[in-house]
Amino acid sequence: MSALYEIALTLIPGVGVVTSRLLLDQFGDAADVFKASRSQLMSIAGIGPKTADSILSKSFLDRAEEELQFVKKYKIQTLFCTSPDYPQRLQNCYDAPVLLYYKGNSDLNKSKVISIVGTRNATGYGKELTDQLVEGLQQHNVLVVSGLAYGIDVAAHRACMKYGVPTIGVVGHGLDRIYPAQHRSLAESMLGCGGLLTEFISQTKPDKENFPKRNRIVAGLSDATIIVEAGLKGGALITAELANSYDRDVMAFPGRVTDIYSAGCNFLIKSNRAHLVTGIKDVEYILDWLPSAAPKQVNDQLHLPLNLYGDEKVIVEFLQTRVSASLDELQHTTSLMQSKLAMVLLNLEMQDIIVVHPGKMYRLR
């Protein structure tokens, strides 16, 4: 019975996700919203007489019952925002959907979730990068999210099927159809290695205004969004902006300055809206997926590179005693001026002796 009212809550005209959450905060659950009095409803910000009367009429329950029968028949999960199965990363987004429809077999709360998006007009360069990226992600037990659209999106899904990486297609319509229709076979195969996700009820057409809404789910589901190829306009840049607004990492592959479908990626990098990445190693570095190093013993100094001298040797010996060290700790240890220390650290990094992690934390490689 609760699922019936949860579906009905999303069908009330003029009641969006923000107002729905205000109603839930006030009344506790969806069923109690429909039991509230007119005066109680109108005490909620954004609820006027017309909306209150609409809720009291319960006119949406018939359509909600129809949808409930649909999801039962096709074994679709309804994930309400108060459910423990609801994607927790998405829960942290202010405009997250109140209800999701999900058909698949992957955990939407996996420890590592990455979105891969890009232009619908993918070039051979973009498709090759996508394939190489997914192949590299294979070792990290990652869930890959994309939008099942033409171009980079479908290239990412297909690469996931090729390498056995679970992948979620977020769609801008109900789960009674697949758009584009050419991707039906792929979408069906994804149900056994990932799944399909939407906030839209059945019979919802893939109208243009649905895709920005779809993009916010793609961005919000993930730890990071990777843009492979993108022009200066389009859904990929919208997804990147949304990911930035959710304080998620955004990465982009650079392209030649003359390539129109790399212009968006180059712009994101140039304007500091995205990290520049060239492959899986950069992704691992940005997300700190490198294996943690155990503290090393002092007698490891017997194995120091022979060409170390002076300040380099002091820094390496210091790092052998700990997992990592901050720039301030290294400056205190060496008593070097900051500019001189930066040069020594860069030299060690270029020799592949140390690695720097986000937050300017240094450790031995």
Side-chain angles (χ1 to χ4, degrees):
M1 184 61 70
S2 61
L4 176 68
Y5 289 104
E6 289 166 0
I7 294 170
L9 182 63
T10 68
L11 302 179
I12 305 168
V15 176
V17 296
V18 174
T19 303
S20 293
R21 288 177 183 271
L22 289 174
L23 286 166
L24 292 170
D25 288 342
Q26 178 68 30
F27 299 111
D29 63 36
D32 287 336
V33 171
F34 289 92
K35 296 174 185 175
S37 67
R38 193 171 190 270
S39 60
Q40 286 177 315
L41 291 169
M42 289 184 61
S43 69
I44 305 298
I47 301 293
K50 184 176 180 179
T51 303
D53 290 341
S54 185
I55 295 172
L56 291 169
S57 74
K58 301 181 176 62
S59 58
F60 311 106
L61 291 180
D62 286 345
R63 179 64 184 93
E65 176 62 36
E66 180 184 347
E67 188 66 14
L68 187 60
Q69 295 308 311
F70 171 79
V71 300
K72 287 180 177 178
K73 178 179 179 180
Y74 292 100
K75 297 180 172 58
I76 295 168
Q77 298 179 59
T78 56
L79 304 176
F80 197 60
C81 60
T82 56
S83 166
D85 294 327
Y86 189 92
Q88 294 306 303
R89 293 172 180 84
L90 197 58
Q91 192 75 274
N92 294 326
C93 303
Y94 68 93
D95 57 352
V98 171
L99 181 66
L100 292 166
Y101 299 93
Y102 176 48
K103 187 172 178 62
N105 64 356
S106 284
D107 179 8
L108 299 177
N109 287 307
K110 287 191 71 151
S111 61
K112 296 175 182 176
V113 185
I114 296 294
S115 291
I116 301 174
V117 297
T119 178
R120 292 170 178 260
N121 301 292
T123 67
Y125 165 76
K127 293 174 183 177
E128 182 178 354
L129 286 178
T130 302
D131 187 89
Q132 292 173 356
L133 174 62
V134 173
E135 183 180 15
L137 290 172
Q138 182 182 18
Q139 63 184 306
H140 290 289
N141 192 27
V142 171
L143 176 65
V144 171
V145 178
S146 197
L148 201 65
Y150 291 113
I152 296 299
D153 287 24
V154 73
H157 293 309
R158 284 176 176 151
C160 287
M161 292 293 96
K162 175 181 175 181
Y163 295 111
V165 176
T167 183
I168 299 294
V170 185
V171 296
H173 50 76
L175 292 183
D176 57 330
R177 69 189 72 208
I178 294 296
Y179 176 83
Q182 293 94 320
H183 298 164
R184 175 172 294 279
S185 177
L186 172 64
E188 289 174 351
S189 68
M190 287 165 57
L191 297 178
C193 187
L196 301 175
L197 185 72
T198 188
E199 67 178 304
F200 299 104
I201 63 170
S202 63
Q203 302 176 38
T204 301
K205 297 178 180 179
D207 295 325
K208 184 177 180 180
E209 62 269 20
N210 293 349
F211 291 100
K213 296 179 181 178
R214 182 274 308 275
N215 293 344
R216 86 187 194 286
I217 299 176
V218 172
L221 273 176
S222 311
D223 301 308
T225 294
I226 303 175
I227 319 296
V228 178
E229 268 189 318
L232 285 171
K233 295 182 179 179
L237 261 66
I238 293 172
T239 307
E241 288 299 312
L242 288 164
N244 274 313
S245 74
Y246 299 149
D247 198 25
R248 310 295 167 82
D249 282 300
V250 178
M251 309 175 208
F253 283 89
R256 293 181 300 187
V257 296
T258 54
D259 291 346
I260 60 172
Y261 295 120
S262 288
C265 291
N266 293 343
F267 168 76
L268 290 171
I269 295 166
K270 179 177 69 175
S271 58
N272 294 318
R273 288 175 168 85
H275 299 279
L276 185 154
V277 293
T278 59
I280 186 62
K281 293 297 183 185
D282 295 330
V283 176
E284 291 169 340
Y285 166 73
I286 292 165
L287 296 177
D288 199 19
W289 284 357
L290 297 174
S292 299
K296 299 189 177 185
Q297 303 302 316
V298 175
N299 61 11
D300 278 352
Q301 63 187 338
L302 298 174
H303 306 291
L304 292 178
L306 296 178
N307 61 339
L308 288 181
Y309 63 93
D311 297 320
E312 291 181 343
K313 187 173 182 181
V314 171
I315 290 171
V316 171
E317 288 178 342
F318 180 67
L319 289 175
Q320 285 180 313
T321 66
R322 54 187 56 224
V323 173
S324 62
S326 68
L327 194 61
D328 287 343
E329 289 174 315
L330 291 171
Q331 191 166 13
H332 178 75
T333 298
T334 61
S335 300
L336 291 172
M337 295 289 291
Q338 191 169 6
S339 58
K340 173 64 174 175
L341 177 60
M343 291 177 62
V344 175
L345 290 172
L346 179 60
N347 189 42
L348 287 170
E349 191 175 354
M350 294 295 288
Q351 294 180 66
D352 208 28
I353 295 171
I354 67 170
V355 63
V356 57
H357 285 280
K360 291 291 184 181
M361 296 299 293
Y362 295 83
R363 71 169 180 82
L364 295 179
R365 187 173 288 278

